[in-house]
Amino acid sequence: MSSDRTEDFDFHLPESLIAQEPARPREAARLLDATQPDMFADRHIRDLPSLLKRGDLLVANNTAVIRAQLHGLRGEAKIGITLDQIQPDGSWHVLVRNARRLKVGDTIAFPGVQDTARVQALEPGGGAVLRFSAEGDAFDAFLQKAGALALPPYIHRPEGPTAQDTSDYATIFERNKGAVAAPTAGLHFTPALLKAIDAAGAQRCTLTLHVGAGTFLPVREAEISEHKMHSERGIITPETAERINATRKAGGRIIAIGTTSLRLLETATDENGIVHPFDGTTSIFIRPGYQFRAVDMLLTNFHLPRSTLFMLVSAFAGVERARQIYAHAVASGYRFYSYGDACLLHCAHSIHAHHLGTVE
């Protein structure tokens, strides 16, 4: 079977399995433990500490979601805007609905506020670069008034995101504002769960990857090698890089909380498995055939058919294994996507050939 065809990463998902709100409490979400070869164990997120070993290091994404959905006006024309990524000069790359009503130099107004945006560039396919009149703290205040959460399209909110979504769509790790979408594996964690992880002797650290609007874009090309991956801004501090490398040297396992953490770790890790400090953008596209350098285990939610994230899972667990995992999840009624359940995976294709044993 070719693993370069997008259709090879398709699967049937009943719409009834797409979660519309998270489990409550969050650690009551289900966890498909697929870490052992040729078997599955149906657990819950609260069981995660029992699957960890002393000396393991969990790496979570501490990005914080901004209110990235805006509704503007150019004259009488309604313009839908989703913020994607701030540019080095302070302008914003955005995705625009009704972009054909815009031209470079136009000013976009926003009902109820005085702030405006000027169109600096337009791209084929609905991308644009806007310069907002507000910047810094004033821009944050503008988003609080004019913006809304850019919930994924599969979470149905006909009246728009609710107050409950504001807390549901935020992780316990969030520190640095800049993400359009939440790093959803992090949504499962609560103070009680972190306390239990600490008691198990596992360590924790964070990095920052500001998830962009491109994370929702489907792969439209027939061959996945033709897909152009979106870029996202990421930061790994020297302290975090040092902790990860020290864990590896001591024989501990690196466990990525979510695909966003994994993608940034793999971006910043050299061919010898050393993680370096990082401050820049990544457009890494991890697909089958990739040899992992940084991560031993991955905690992640269940992803869309034909998506780059399901391709990443297929690279991490193995193509056939990923198919089995998702077939089991569908058959067993696991809940999918941002507010859904999770799975814990073991890396099948790592440059670290030896199997990591228990660290005492």
Side-chain angles (χ1 to χ4, degrees):
M1 182 191 77
S2 164
S3 58
D4 192 48
R5 296 200 312 260
T6 302
E7 65 186 31
D8 289 338
F9 298 90
D10 203 359
F11 57 88
H12 174 65
L13 179 68
E15 191 164 341
S16 61
L17 295 185
I18 299 173
Q20 296 301 308
E21 59 178 47
R24 305 189 198 283
R26 294 190 182 200
E27 62 264 41
R30 296 173 72 190
L31 175 64
L32 176 50
D33 175 4
T35 56
Q36 302 304 313
D38 304 321
M39 65 172 286
F40 299 121
D42 297 310
R43 306 184 191 276
H44 292 87
I45 291 290
R46 60 175 170 263
D47 300 322
L48 179 63
S50 69
L51 304 175
L52 302 176
K53 298 174 180 177
R54 185 168 297 278
D56 286 346
L57 180 64
L58 282 72
V59 186
N61 187 357
N62 66 11
T63 189
V65 176
I66 59 174
R67 298 164 77 97
Q69 197 77 60
L70 295 163
H71 297 285
L73 295 170
R74 202 258 326 134
E76 296 295 310
K78 294 180 179 180
I79 308 295
I81 297 167
T82 304
L83 300 179
D84 177 35
Q85 186 180 72
I86 192 166
Q87 306 296 292
D89 68 354
S91 63
W92 276 88
H93 185 265
V94 302
L95 302 181
V96 179
R97 288 178 306 290
N98 218 4
R100 66 186 183 283
R101 306 297 296 271
L102 293 177
K103 61 182 187 295
V104 173
D106 279 350
T107 296
I108 301 171
F110 299 94
V113 297
Q114 292 185 327
D115 304 287
T116 59
R118 187 175 178 81
V119 181
Q120 291 192 320
L122 292 168
E123 303 168 353
V129 177
L130 303 182
R131 167 71 70 174
F132 288 87
S133 58
E135 296 188 2
D137 290 343
F139 184 71
D140 290 344
F142 159 69
L143 290 185
Q144 283 301 314
K145 291 179 193 168
L149 285 179
L151 284 180
Y154 44 75
I155 295 176
H156 303 304
R157 296 289 187 271
E159 305 300 316
T162 64
Q164 184 67 53
D165 285 315
T166 303
S167 56
D168 284 346
Y169 204 58
T171 78
I172 195 172
F173 304 108
E174 65 170 36
R175 291 291 179 277
N176 302 315
K177 290 181 182 175
V180 173
T184 54
L187 296 178
H188 298 292
F189 288 78
T190 62
L193 184 60
L194 294 184
K195 191 174 178 182
I197 288 168
D198 295 343
Q203 306 295 309
R204 298 185 279 114
C205 68
T206 57
L207 47 68
T208 305
L209 184 73
H210 293 314
V211 190
T215 193
F216 299 132
L217 296 177
V219 177
R220 295 191 174 96
E221 292 76 14
E223 304 288 319
I224 64 174
S225 55
E226 299 294 312
H227 177 70
K228 186 178 185 300
M229 196 71 172
H230 58 284
S231 70
E232 293 168 323
R233 172 83 193 288
I235 300 169
I236 297 177
T237 65
E239 295 77 19
T240 292
E242 192 176 318
R243 284 192 68 187
I244 294 167
N245 292 329
T247 298
R248 171 76 64 201
K249 193 172 180 182
R253 300 177 300 182
I254 308 303
I255 303 169
I257 305 302
T259 57
T260 62
S261 297
L262 181 145
R263 289 179 62 242
L264 187 57
L265 286 171
E266 292 296 326
T267 298
T269 303
D270 66 25
E271 60 275 9
N272 297 314
I274 305 299
V275 180
H276 297 273
F278 186 89
D279 187 345
T281 60
T282 177
S283 55
I284 189 171
F285 183 7
I286 296 175
R287 53 190 193 265
Y290 182 87
Q291 286 285 106
F292 289 83
R293 302 171 175 183
V295 176
D296 302 299
M297 295 173 70
L298 170 65
L299 179 80
T300 183
N301 286 22
F302 294 98
H303 304 290
L304 283 76
R306 303 171 76 99
S307 65
T308 60
L309 297 180
F310 181 54
M311 293 167 189
L312 181 154
V313 166
S314 298
F316 193 83
V319 172
E320 192 52 41
R321 180 67 167 162
R323 282 180 171 282
Q324 294 166 0
I325 290 165
Y326 273 58
H328 177 87
V330 170
S332 303
Y334 278 76
R335 299 160 73 246
F336 274 62
Y337 304 166
S338 298
Y339 279 158
D341 299 316
C343 56
L344 185 64
L345 310 174
H346 181 267
C347 184
H349 303 286
S350 172
I351 64 168
H352 306 284
H354 67 283
H355 184 76
L356 292 160
T358 305
V359 180
E360 298 301 340

